Amino acid sequence: MAMENLKQFLFALSAAGAVGFVAIIFVLRWVLHFKEGLDWDGGLAEFNWHPVLVVTGFIFLQGTAIIVYRLPWTWQCSKLMMKFIHAGLNLTAFIFAIIAMVAVFDFHNSAKIPNMYSLHSWLGLMAVILYGLQLVLGVGLYLIPVTPVSWRAACMPIHVYSGLFLFTSIIAVALMGITEKLIFGLTNPKYKDSPPEAIFVNVLGLLLVVFGALILWIATRASWKRPSDQIAHSLHTNRGGEDNSKAGPAMSELEDGASCETDGDVRKRNSK
Ligand code: HEM
Ligand code: HEM
């Protein structure tokens, strides 16, 4: 399972893992040390589940789900198994996001704060709904075995584009939420006086941007794709083989049934 520029890949992957991990530590320290902690009591401690669950689930787990096909040590495993892992991680991220929404709506209702008045809440709810749609369409197209391969192939560029667009938008929504919370939450001293909490949470925002940038970099390198997809791509561009006109990146859908392959098999496919 040779990968081009393996060192760069490992560097980008460990940087993403480290930055994501530190972001989770930061959001936990924010709510546990600077804020009211975590509880389910209709108060501010319940609100705090909102940032914690979106950072750990909606951002970190989703980022992991997006790059899971790129891990070279999984290339000898069946595509079907990798699809279950990709779908499972995305489903877990979605469940985290739903609980995060329940926490903030429940807090608003018990504190008699109006719902859905901010741009953050509009874009945030839209992102959650579209993410749910992406999940359902993903299962329908790529997990249910009856979907024709030509449909899978035709929809793959849209799936990848909307997945990356959602991931990026969700990070933008989180940055808006962070800024709102700092403006609402810091009264004495205020946000503009740069108290330690403000600096600390600004750094959390930076970490989320860097995490997003690294995941997008990994997910957009053509040479780091699973080998089967590179073959499909080169057949497609060379016009070699039959009926490649619609194959594109989803040609590997055909190999669903294959179980774990040896390194040799992958290399043989690669050299074809
Ligand atoms: C409120 C979504 C991240 C802070 C809301 C609401 C939604 C939402 C739908 C409206 C709740 C209501 O009207 O009752 C999201 C999504 C996020 C996200 C999808 C994923 C990235 C964050 C983060 C923070 C945050 C990281 C940082 C603390 C807030 C605050 C409110 C809020 C302060 C209440 C004020 C308002 O409605 O704008 N969020 N949020 N959000 N969120 Fe987020
Ligand atoms: C690929 C996002 C759900 C099947 C991708 C990629 C992204 C993405 C960004 C490109 C990854 C790459 O180029 O390496 C998402 C998001 C989802 C979701 C955000 C949930 C909201 C699903 C589900 C399935 C699925 C439920 C069903 C199995 C696939 C397949 C690929 C893919 C087969 C192609 C992998 C490859 O190129 O080898 N997805 N996805 N996705 N996704 Fe999803």
Side-chain angles (χ1 to χ4, degrees), residues 50 54 58-59 101 119-127 166-180:
H50 182 67
V54 296
F58 218 20
I59 297 179
M101 295 307 115
L119 180 59
H120 166 77
S121 61
W122 291 10
L123 291 174
L125 196 63
M126 262 166 64
L166 275 169
F167 176 67
T168 313
S169 313
I170 287 163
I171 292 183
V173 169
L175 301 180
M176 298 170 88
I178 286 176
T179 308
E180 272 191 3

Side-chain angles (χ1 to χ4, degrees), residues 205-228:
L206 285 178
L207 290 170
L208 295 180
V209 172
V210 175
F211 178 72
L214 288 165
I215 295 292
L216 289 179
W217 178 259
I218 296 172
T220 51
R221 290 318 84 204
S223 61
W224 291 347
K225 277 183 97 60
R226 267 175 84 98
S228 48

Side-chain angles (χ1 to χ4, degrees), residues 30 47 50-51 54 58 101 104-105 108 115-118 120-121 124-125 128 170 173-174 177-178 180-181 184:
W30 183 21
F47 168 84
H50 182 67
V54 296
F58 218 20
M101 295 307 115
V104 66
F105 276 98
H108 274 190
N115 291 313
M116 299 305 297
Y117 64 87
S118 65
H120 166 77
S121 61
L125 196 63
V128 175
I170 287 163
V173 169
I178 286 176
E180 272 191 3
K181 183 68 180 170
F184 297 155

